Amino acid sequence: MRAAVVTTFGGPESVRVVETQIPEPGARQVRIRVAAATLNPVDAGVRAGAFGGAGQFGFGWDVAGTVDATGAATAWHVGDEVVALYHAMGRPLGTHAEYVVVDTDAVAKAPAGVDTVHAATLPLNALTAVQALDLLELTPGQSLLVTGAAGAVGGFAVQLASRRGVLVTGLARADDEEFVRSLGAAEFTSEGVPAGSVDAVLDAAVLGERALEWVRDGGVFAGVIPRAAPASVRGVRTGAVEVGPDGARLAELVTLVEEGVLTLRVAEAYALEDAAKAHARLAEGGVRGRLVLVP
C-alpha cells in the first residue's frame, strides 16, 4: 500500500509517499480501507520535528472508510462503513495511507447521509472539543469563552457547549463573526473580553496566559496541547486535553452530525500522492475547514 511519511524533519517538501506492507489486524482490531483522512496541525508538527524522535513517522489521526478485515473478538464486520480516531503520535504509519489498523473500541459507524471526505473531519477535532469541555465541567448558564471559535476544534466546542446551555462567547477574526454566531455563540469578540469576566476559557487558539487572564478568580481553563497549560493563578484550575480514542463517544458525536447539531467543514481535498501539496497549503494558513487526503 501507499502511505505518507516523513523520515527527515522539515517543511512540506519533506513529506514522502512510500510503498509499505499492508497491516494485519490482531485481536480486538479492525483494518479499515481508507476513503478519506484529515490533515491536522498536529501532522505539521510531526513533519517539522516539534515532537522529536528519529526514524519514520506517519501522518493522520482521522479516518473514514470501510472495514476490510477483522481480528478476533470484534463486533465489526467486513463492509461496515466507519469513522475512527487513530492515535498516530510516534508511529511509523498513520491514517494517511490506503489501509490502517485500529482498535475496535476506537471505531464508530459513519454518519448517515455524509460523504467520506466530510466524515473524516469529525473524529480528532470533535473528540478534542468534547473531551476539553468535559475537563471544564460547566453547568447550564455558566459563561465560556472559546478562542479560535472559527477553527475546527473551536467550532465544534461552540456547538457542543451551546447545546449544553452554556453561554458561549466566540473569539475569532472579525470577518468570522456571522459564522461563529451561526454555530450558537451568544456573543462574539475579535479582541478579547475584560479580565476576569468569564467562568471558563477553552483555548483552541493556544493563546495561553493571555486567555487565562479572561477567566474569573476560581474559574477554569482548558487548553488543547497536552501538558502545555499555563500555571494556575488566582485559584483558576488549569489543564489541557490529551485526546484519546473513544468509539462510544465518537458514536454520540456521529448522532449529533446526523441531527444537524455539528457542522462538518472541508476546505479542500487532495489525492494521497499530493500530500506534500496539502502540507504546503496548511502552512500558508487561513484555512477554514479541514484539508482532507483521499487515497
Side-chain angles (χ1 to χ4, degrees):
M1 71 171 188
R2 297 172 303 153
V5 303
V6 62
T7 55
T8 302
F9 299 133
E13 72 285 348
S14 64
V15 177
R16 301 171 55 213
V17 176
V18 300
E19 293 284 341
T20 188
Q21 187 174 358
I22 296 176
E24 295 295 333
R28 297 191 55 78
Q29 291 184 322
V30 299
R31 185 172 69 204
I32 299 171
R33 184 181 179 92
V34 179
T38 306
L39 176 66
N40 289 287
V42 65
D43 298 309
V46 169
R47 186 202 73 229
F51 307 105
Q56 175 178 295
F57 297 96
F59 301 111
W61 292 54
D62 299 284
V63 59
T66 304
V67 174
D68 166 77
T70 65
T74 173
W76 296 102
H77 302 91
V78 171
D80 287 342
E81 295 183 359
V82 297
V83 291
L85 176 65
Y86 176 78
H87 200 290
M89 187 65 69
R91 302 198 191 200
L93 296 172
T95 65
H96 294 178
E98 292 179 309
Y99 296 89
V100 64
V101 168
V102 301
D103 294 337
T104 57
D105 58 6
V107 181
K109 184 179 178 181
V114 176
D115 64 78
T116 54
V117 172
H118 281 80
T121 67
L122 180 69
L124 176 61
N125 294 293
L127 281 170
T128 298
V130 76
Q131 291 175 12
L133 288 172
D134 290 346
L135 288 178
L136 294 174
E137 298 180 323
L138 298 176
T139 56
Q142 287 192 289
S143 57
L144 168 68
L145 176 69
V146 177
T147 72
V153 172
F156 284 137
V158 171
Q159 291 181 306
L160 291 166
S162 299
R163 187 174 183 272
R164 297 181 181 187
V166 174
L167 302 177
V168 179
T169 297
L171 171 64
R173 296 184 310 191
D175 54 4
D176 286 319
E177 178 173 2
E178 181 178 355
F179 172 70
V180 171
R181 288 187 181 275
S182 76
L183 298 177
E187 302 292 340
F188 177 87
T189 178
S190 60
E191 298 180 355
V193 295
S197 63
V198 293
D199 294 313
V201 162
L202 196 163
D203 188 24
V206 196
L207 301 181
E209 293 182 356
R210 178 187 173 203
L212 182 61
E213 295 177 0
W214 297 327
V215 183
R216 65 166 173 79
D217 293 1
V220 59
F221 172 103
V224 296
I225 298 181
R227 299 176 295 279
S232 175
V233 295
R234 300 180 288 104
V236 176
R237 176 169 58 88
T238 63
V241 63
E242 186 163 358
V243 65
D246 186 337
R249 204 64 184 281
L250 183 56
E252 295 173 1
L253 295 167
V254 165
T255 298
L256 295 180
V257 170
E258 294 173 338
E259 294 175 350
V261 175
L262 294 181
T263 302
L264 304 177
R265 294 179 287 152
V266 173
E268 196 170 350
Y270 291 81
L272 180 61
E273 55 263 29
D274 292 329
K277 293 181 181 179
H279 277 256
R281 175 65 189 93
L282 182 63
E284 291 173 1
V287 177
R288 285 295 177 261
R290 281 295 184 233
L291 305 174
V292 181
L293 295 179
V294 180

